[in-house]
Amino acid sequence: MTATEERPATEIGASRRRKEDARLITGRTRWTDNIVLPGLQHLAMVRSPFAHARITAIDTEAAKAASGVVAVITGADIADEQGALPNAWAVIPDQKAPVHPSMAVDHVAFAGEIVAMVIARTAAEANDAADLVDVDYEELEPALELKAAARDEVIAHPDLGTNVSAVWSYDSAESGTGGDVEAAIAAARDGGIVIEKEFRQQRLIPAFMEPRSIVVDPTTEQMTVWSSTQVPHFVKIFIALVLGIPESKVRVIAPDVGGGFGGKLQFTPEEVLTVIAARRTGKPCKYTETRSESLMVAHHGRDQWQQVTLAANADGTVTGLKVELIADMGAYLGLVTSAIPLLGAFMYNGIYKFPAYHLGITNVFTNKTWTDAYRGAGRPEATYAIERMMDELAARVGVDALEIRERNWIKHEEFPFSTVSGLRYDSGNYEAATAKARELFRYDELRAEQRRRRESGDPVQLGIGISTFTEMCGLAPSRWLGSMGYVGGGWEHAAVRMLPTGKVEVVTGTSPHGQGHETAWSQLVADRLGVAFEDVEVLHGDTQVAVRGLDTYGSRSLAVGGMAVLAAADKVIEKAKPIAAQLLEANADDLDFSGGRYGVRGTDAGMTMAELAFAVFQGHKLGGSAEASLDADATLDPDDFSFPHGTHLCAVEVDTETGATKMRSYVCVDDVGVVVNPMIVEGQVHGGLAQGIAQALFEEAVHDEGGTLVTGSFDQYLVPGAPDLPAFETARTETPATTNQLGVKGVGEAGTIASTPAVVNAIVDALRPLGVTDVQMPCTPYRVWKAIQEGAQEGAREGAQQKEARS
């Protein structure tokens, strides 16, 4: 706390400055690549330039003779040692999957796959020697286009005989959660409304700030692995399982991690190979990827085709929703690759009361980098589809896009609400969030300006985009994950330790990479135990310290991990009560705990938690069965998801002559339940908005006809900077969750999930009078201009047909 800050009356809801930031902004961080150990060796990977090929020969002699080279290792050298990378989520029992080696032995399935590894004294020597490895390939035709791959026109893995990994479906009639969607569509064709649209979710790259890096020290009995990862506990388990090392002999540390966005929710080939290199040489080894390698081979996200059919009555009341999607797995299955589309399966109905629903998913292999979790993981894709369709429904009915949503959304008095996809939304108030957003946005004024521009034929048209969303957060509970085929759990673990000096240590199984856990967890414990915020230290990311945990992803940290911290703190309070009673010579039932102090009811006698901690440390006055410890552990497995929601409104100006799009304003009102730290929440929303807007306007991973990534640097892969984005206006409403004791929901992915359809809806809204009903993402000036030209041509054709019919 600075001299000018006042201590808040309650820590919950206080905008505390992040404890983490001082070391981050002053350069006192310890990134994995900063770690230097005695005798450290460096690795460089030799990667295939081809998307699909057989390896016919590898000549490593020149590389082995190069300066500083310790060893050169090929796939054949470690074929019996490297094992296979795991897929932890088989969405169907007979899911097809190729063996996923860390290093290719005789067949490469995507451009960038590792075919050899150089170990040298310095990184420069390793990289130079890697260029000397001579690999002969027999190039094969790659499977690249997703729809063609689904038809098995070219097979990505010839030994599988098909590109289809799994077919999964959900049907409300079969599941008993709703009616027959085909009947609903048939009924709507007779006097109602049926809208059919196809949407493309382009391939994206997480593009975290810190490239992945791994350091392995094999020189002690327990091997230590440092990795820039979101999931140190997963990495520990899979090193043990894949390489046959006793888990007790592996320690994994995630030091400061410079972003992840799902892109570091992975057990990677490079982690396996760095361990193998260190074990073979008996010396510490380090691998740090280049930015080009990061963009090329760190897993990608999204990449789907969505075919959506919406049925409604003539007044716009929805009656059915059918979705068929093809999802690109890429060349292999990562940890949760196959389940990313499934995570969106339960969210296509959004906040709306659909009576009937069907979803079909086809997971397909191609010869590209494999896909996996990217911020939102399946839920942005679902939200995009339904929010685009609701705009199309509004246009068909001829009413305002907000009005059509209000006609169909779940009213606040209807919660808890069981949805057509089988989820139970526990709380929400879509009316309140929308009313607040509408006021802040000056919605009516902007609609009036839009009408004036249209009437005047202004070449720069104004569009207003809407996204009213909800999402399933807090990836858990374990029994739900198990029912969906996931091999792991959804619980989380925490410990609270009372130190003799009155300070508190919190050990958390969540592993942050920018979320602010050290600050928020300190606020939770300070508030509950009545100790000073500054007196709480949060430990994380080291499997030797935080022995149990399931790490950070899926907006689960606060709703699952934070609640485990609170549960441990509550155990400390209960554990301390009989000890305090003994020391105060009182009956435990006569004690009250408030503000960090146990007091004897009706007297002035009492002890603070700090005084009690020291007395327990001394043990002088403890007797009977009293334990000389106030420490407590808790493992929490929630009963259900939490469901944040919100309304996002976006205004864009589109130059109809050039296709240039300029964001004019963006307002979002999110309901994330009870807020622990508003400053952190606002930062998470801002970051999420930037990534969702980036999908709408800027980012796309593009491959050439041979399967080589052509957007392999930030010159071609367009990540927006601050000048590309407007000043966001954010606000909140609050309906506490009923699924956890504090009433918190998730926030880490909300901005990304909501913003993409808001931006695209705004662009289409600006151009709808010109016959434009869709623009494929990213909505570059050329794509917008092309859509305008195609809309004009379609309008001319319709006009000619109408004229011919009249004549």
Side-chain angles (χ1 to χ4, degrees), residues 413-427:
E413 64 269 14
E414 295 178 293
F415 289 94
F417 186 90
S418 296
T419 74
V420 73
S421 63
L423 296 181
R424 181 182 179 273
Y425 294 177
D426 65 311
S427 67

Side-chain angles (χ1 to χ4, degrees), residues 73-306:
I73 297 174
T74 68
D77 296 331
I78 58 173
D80 297 331
E81 179 183 352
Q82 65 172 316
L85 295 176
N87 170 241
W89 200 329
V91 296
I92 59 174
D94 57 349
Q95 171 179 279
K96 291 184 181 295
V99 174
H100 188 175
S102 294
M103 185 183 292
V105 177
D106 53 20
H107 173 258
V108 293
F110 69 98
E113 186 164 6
I114 300 168
V115 298
M117 169 174 61
V118 174
I119 309 169
R121 293 177 302 183
T122 69
E125 288 172 324
N127 288 322
D128 287 346
D131 291 337
L132 300 176
V133 176
D134 187 12
V135 185
D136 290 335
Y137 298 93
E138 178 189 340
E139 192 173 0
L140 303 172
E141 184 179 1
L144 299 174
E145 200 281 315
L146 183 51
K147 289 182 180 179
R151 296 190 296 267
D152 284 340
E153 291 183 8
V154 179
I155 304 298
H157 293 276
D159 57 315
L160 290 183
T162 180
N163 292 323
V164 177
S165 175
V167 176
W168 186 94
S169 66
Y170 182 92
D171 189 274
S172 61
E174 294 176 2
S175 301
T177 56
D180 186 304
V181 76
E182 295 297 346
I185 294 170
R189 293 193 191 279
D190 184 16
I193 297 170
V194 175
I195 301 172
E196 297 176 284
K197 299 288 289 186
E198 186 176 54
F199 301 121
R200 177 73 168 119
Q201 288 282 330
Q202 77 269 39
R203 178 175 281 245
L204 300 177
I205 303 175
F208 31 74
M209 184 177 292
E210 177 208 15
R212 298 173 304 161
S213 184
I214 305 101
V215 175
V216 178
D217 184 0
T219 60
T220 58
E221 185 175 348
Q222 186 183 48
M223 179 174 63
T224 302
V225 179
W226 291 265
S227 182
S228 177
T229 181
Q230 296 175 222
V231 287
H233 294 92
F234 288 8
V235 171
K236 178 186 178 184
I237 291 168
F238 288 122
I239 284 175
L241 290 175
V242 171
L243 294 176
I245 303 171
E247 189 179 349
S248 62
K249 301 299 184 183
V250 181
R251 177 185 185 183
V252 176
I253 301 171
D256 288 317
V257 176
F261 313 122
K264 292 177 182 173
L265 199 179
Q266 198 58 260
F267 180 57
T268 70
E270 292 85 359
E271 284 163 333
V272 173
L273 295 176
T274 308
V275 171
I276 288 175
R279 293 177 74 192
R280 284 197 163 210
T281 63
K283 292 185 178 181
C285 288
K286 177 192 287 186
Y287 169 76
T288 300
E289 67 186 2
T290 65
R291 178 59 67 185
S292 292
E293 284 180 302
S294 179
L295 293 172
M296 178 170 57
V297 300
H299 74 243
H300 295 171
R302 310 288 194 259
D303 208 346
Q304 297 178 4
W305 276 106
Q306 302 166 316

Side-chain angles (χ1 to χ4, degrees), residues 381-533:
E381 297 94 309
T383 300
Y384 181 85
I386 187 57
E387 287 304 294
R388 285 287 295 112
M389 292 300 283
M390 294 306 289
D391 258 33
E392 295 306 306
L393 178 60
R396 185 74 63 89
V397 177
V399 299
D400 185 86
L402 275 179
E403 182 180 339
I404 205 72
R405 288 166 166 82
E406 185 175 1
R407 287 186 189 181
N408 289 288
W409 67 35
I410 304 159
K411 306 298 190 293
H412 71 275
E413 64 269 14
E414 295 178 293
F415 289 94
F417 186 90
S418 296
T419 74
V420 73
S421 63
L423 296 181
R424 181 182 179 273
Y425 294 177
D426 65 311
S427 67
N429 191 327
Y430 309 139
E431 302 98 309
T434 301
K436 191 168 188 177
R438 181 173 184 144
E439 179 183 359
L440 292 171
F441 191 65
R442 303 193 325 278
Y443 187 85
D444 293 336
E445 293 178 34
L446 286 170
R447 282 294 186 200
E449 180 185 344
Q450 182 185 59
R451 286 192 295 272
R452 291 194 299 271
R453 289 196 183 201
R454 288 179 176 177
E455 291 167 359
S456 67
D458 194 327
V460 178
Q461 287 291 305
L462 178 66
I464 296 171
I466 301 164
S467 177
T468 48
F469 83 105
T470 189
E471 57 162 324
M472 50 193 283
C473 278
L475 194 55
S478 297
R479 60 185 178 280
W480 184 90
L481 291 168
S483 72
M484 292 290 110
Y486 183 55
V487 301
W491 53 264
E492 195 47 79
H493 185 77
V496 174
R497 303 170 180 163
M498 293 300 306
L499 304 180
T501 56
K503 312 297 184 183
V504 184
E505 282 183 346
V506 176
V507 181
T508 177
T510 62
S511 185
H513 44 281
Q515 291 88 345
H517 293 183
E518 292 177 30
T519 302
W521 283 202
S522 294
Q523 290 180 264
L524 290 174
V525 171
D527 201 73
R528 189 56 58 96
L529 297 184
V531 299
F533 168 79

Side-chain angles (χ1 to χ4, degrees), residues 577-642:
K577 191 173 185 178
I579 300 175
Q582 184 182 114
L583 296 174
L584 291 168
E585 299 181 348
N587 190 303
D589 293 338
D590 293 330
L591 295 189
D592 291 324
F593 181 75
S594 177
R597 182 177 185 273
Y598 287 94
V600 182
R601 204 173 297 120
T603 74
D604 292 332
M607 295 183 72
T608 66
M609 186 64 81
E611 292 169 335
L612 186 59
F614 188 73
V616 168
F617 166 72
Q618 288 179 308
H620 297 170
K621 298 180 180 180
L622 298 185
S625 60
E627 180 185 355
S629 168
L630 296 182
D631 301 347
D633 289 61
T635 300
L636 184 135
D637 199 336
D639 293 330
D640 209 341
F641 300 101
S642 66

